[in-house]
Amino acid sequence: MTRAFRLLVAGRAVDVFGNAFAPIALAFAVLDLTGSAGDLGLVVGVRTVCNVAFLLFGGVLADRLPKNLLMVGANLVAALTQGLIAALVLTHTATIPALIGLSAVNGAVAALAMPASSALLPRTVAPDYRQRAIALSRLTFSGAMIIGAPLAGVVVAAVGPGWGIVVDAATFVISAACFAFIRVPFVAPAERVGVLRELRTGWSEFRSHTWLWVVVVGACVTNLAWSGATHVLAPALADVTIGRRAWGLVLAAQTAGMIAGGLLAMRLRLRRFLRYGVLTLFAMAGPLIVLGLSPHLLPLAGAAFLAGVGLEQFSVAWESTMQEHIPADRLARVYSYDMVGSFLAVPIGEMAVGPIADHIGLRPALLGCAGVLVAGLLGMLLSSDVRTLRHRLPRSEPEHMEESVP
């Protein structure tokens, strides 16, 4: 792998490590300040809204400017916002309005970096190594999350949430340094046009690929169900059945499945890679069904492991497909439309499932989410473009090689 690829993966892995600290540290900082879950929801929710709102603009900038330099700037501003939050918390001068404002800025600058980082990866490796590079990068990110999440809990418990946010701020600086040393050729756009025109160009590219918008629409539906189920309903049901500690083990099993899925994805050589990826996503319904019907630790952990494997198979298939079939000069904008469409329903799902569960019960609501998730995946497979899109095999592989998925 190239030096540019190593620097990109290192910087993004450091970001993932720091991002494991942020939600834990910020949650306890807000709860220590007011003890209000509503205040915490405001701080987190405003960040998500700003993140989604600025994603399209981030895609335009990433196709206009050197992607690594855009990522450097975004990470330095993110370091500043987190540093200010840490200072307010450590000096006991934090207020909810201040935390909301800084979180909003943090969400906006993160949106500027996300399309750039995704679109930069194919510029750092040869096409024949792209799939392996995507799988390796995601494997690295999963490892960073496994290390970061429990360490964040230890740091926050030992020295307080303010210092946990300090760690997050420091990781943004380190990742910015990694991105600053990436050297890839930059081709400036042939002509400068307005932002709205560039957004329209990105939209035209997005909607011209049926497989692309069909999967994004399906992902919007599945994320609606998955986010509400896993972030709200599942923890609540686990709390009164298998217990909090067991639920932590289930989440760990899912992360272990993602690592196994990344290792497997590095070796796959499939002509219908996107179809295979969508099929593997059906495993994500498993933990919801098991928890809703028979909440016992071992079968639940097994289902969560398989869900992690399936999620990683799809993620590698999806990124490989996009980077292969979307022109490089429009890739960041298309990524931004993908991210907006995929993430838009997440806060809706998280807010909607609570009242639904209060009305019909936790278990029926959880099983209903599993049904919605399956319906979204079936909707993806109804498209012949999703089922038949061909993936280019690396030249080192035999041209007759086919997958065994029906």
Side-chain angles (χ1 to χ4, degrees), residues 15 41 64 84 113 127 174 183 233 235 249 258 271 275 285 293 321 328 364 385-387:
D15 270 345
R64 281 186 172 190
L84 289 173
I174 296 170
R183 297 289 182 266
L233 300 179
L249 294 175
M258 294 173 66
R271 281 292 192 194
R275 182 182 67 182
L293 294 178
T321 302
D385 289 69
V386 173
R387 298 194 308 271

Side-chain angles (χ1 to χ4, degrees), residues 241-242 246 250 287 289-303 363:
T241 53
I242 62 173
V250 171
I289 295 172
V290 173
L291 182 59
L293 294 178
S294 180
H296 298 287
L297 176 57
L298 288 181
L300 189 54
R363 292 193 182 195

